[in-house]
Amino acid sequence: MHEKVARRTGPLCLVFAQETADQNVNARIRSEEAAHSEIMRTLHMLTEPLRPRLAGSPNYEAAAKWAAATLTGWGLKNARLEPWDFRPPRLAQ
């Protein structure tokens, strides 16, 4: 009888143990977000100041430079702009 109960409830203990760890991680994430969030600033920069951004336009280039600089500031080591020919393929030749 006790073996049957242990077999049925044993996996539940693992689930609850994992839930406690997830609660701790969630609390740390929420704390970091509350203290250092840049999400609204980033969302604003992605949607407002440099509109419209047609391919190859000055606003496009400014937005791309902002994105590369921001990603570099966040610690990415390979954020850079690469050359691209924005003309339609039939005109690029």
Side-chain angles (χ1 to χ4, degrees), residues 6-7 10 12-13 15-17 26 29 32 34 36 39-40 43 49 57-58 66 68-69 72 80 86 89-90:
R7 275 187 268 152
L12 290 176
C13 294
V15 170
F16 289 123
N26 287 339
I29 290 170
E32 181 67 22
H36 305 105
I39 200 149
M40 293 306 290
L43 181 62
S57 70
W66 174 85
T72 299
R80 66 183 184 281
F86 289 101
R90 60 178 159 55

Side-chain angles (χ1 to χ4, degrees), residues 40-83:
M40 293 306 290
R41 178 183 169 276
T42 302
L43 181 62
H44 170 74
M45 291 301 292
L46 289 172
T47 58
E48 291 297 325
L50 299 170
R51 297 185 312 175
R53 289 188 288 243
L54 300 173
S57 70
N59 281 352
Y60 174 87
E61 186 175 352
K65 287 178 179 177
W66 174 85
T70 300
L71 293 171
T72 299
W74 289 346
L76 275 72
K77 296 182 185 334
N78 201 17
R80 66 183 184 281
L81 302 181
E82 295 184 359

Side-chain angles (χ1 to χ4, degrees), residues 18-39:
Q18 183 63 36
E19 184 65 25
T20 302
D22 289 347
Q23 292 293 333
N24 293 336
V25 170
N26 287 339
R28 288 176 48 205
I29 290 170
R30 287 189 186 109
S31 174
E32 181 67 22
E33 180 273 331
H36 305 105
S37 178
E38 292 186 27
I39 200 149

